[in-house]
Amino acid sequence: MSYLREVEPAWCPGCGNFPLRMNLASTLEEMGVEKSHFIMVTGIGQAAKMPHYLDINFFNGLHGRSLPVAFAIKAVNPELTVIAESGDGDMYGEGGNHFIHGIRRNFDVTVLIHDNQIYGLTKGQGSPTTRKGQKTSSQLQGVINEPLNPLALAITMD
Ligand SMILES: Cc1ncc(C[n+]2csc(CCOP(=O)(O)OP(=O)(O)O)c2C)c(N)n1
Ligand SMILES: [Mg+2]
């Protein structure tokens, strides 16, 4: 049973999303997750395109809003395996509020975040995890703030 959909991903050559796709598909297969008992929820961004390239059930909704949808699906269908997947901008920026309260509520949902430290889809603006001093398409002199440390934040919510 393959989890790969036979389509050409619209990611740039060399993008780290390619190996993440292959690993995710082989892990789901190895774990023997039933397709009918699995759903992925994503927001918007290059990372959030992931389910377009997999043979799975999915809901691809609004930027920053994958987590509330994923938690709601799990709440009413506890037998489903639910993965929420998106980028750093989506999860830590627009969806940052859901990230914090999601950890506090501790739903049995797996959250996968592609932290490329940039808003990729919209052409390279600084995201919450862009390094201080990095020049971007919107911070021409370099980012002036320290980046968010998502793991430290997650640990404080534990
Ligand atoms: C509410 C809202 N704000 C902004 C956008 C524009 N937008 C779409 S994708 C994106 C950035 C995505 O960056 P990230 O989540 O890091 O994903 P990546 O493309 O880097 O994988 C932005 C700002 C939007 N669609 N909706
Ligand atoms: Mg990103």
Side-chain angles (χ1 to χ4, degrees):
M1 175 174 49
S2 172
Y3 282 82
L4 288 175
R5 192 186 296 271
E6 284 189 29
V7 286
E8 184 79 17
W11 292 318
C12 301
C15 178
N17 290 338
F18 285 100
L20 292 174
R21 170 179 177 251
M22 298 308 282
N23 279 308
L24 185 62
S26 58
T27 302
L28 288 170
E29 198 175 327
E30 231 174 88
M31 290 174 69
V33 178
E34 282 289 326
K35 285 188 185 177
S36 59
H37 281 72
F38 176 75
I39 184 161
M40 177 178 285
V41 186
T42 61
I44 300 292
Q46 293 293 0
K49 291 179 185 172
M50 181 65 82
H52 303 187
Y53 310 135
L54 296 171
D55 185 20
I56 54 169
N57 296 309
F58 68 94
F59 182 89
N60 182 196
L62 295 174
H63 192 44
R65 301 290 177 258
S66 63
L67 293 184
V69 175
F71 298 154
I73 290 173
K74 185 69 184 179
V76 295
N77 302 278
E79 75 285 359
L80 292 186
T81 298
V82 184
I83 289 184
E85 182 158 358
S86 249
D88 46 313
D90 192 290
M91 290 281 193
Y92 304 141
E94 284 79 357
N97 175 42
H98 303 300
F99 179 71
I100 293 170
H101 295 287
I103 295 168
R104 195 164 61 80
R105 293 185 180 126
N106 200 18
F107 269 90
D108 185 13
V109 166
T110 301
V111 179
L112 302 177
I113 304 174
H114 304 209
D115 188 2
N116 60 357
Q117 304 181 345
I118 207 77
Y119 281 123
L121 183 74
T122 46
K123 310 281 182 226
Q125 300 83 7
S127 83
T129 51
T130 306
R131 296 285 161 89
K132 189 176 178 182
Q134 184 177 320
K135 293 183 178 158
T136 77
S137 62
S138 60
Q139 287 102 341
L140 303 181
Q141 310 292 322
V143 172
I144 59 172
N145 298 310
E146 290 293 339
L148 178 82
N149 183 334
L151 294 183
L153 176 62
I155 289 166
T156 66
M157 301 299 299
D158 191 19

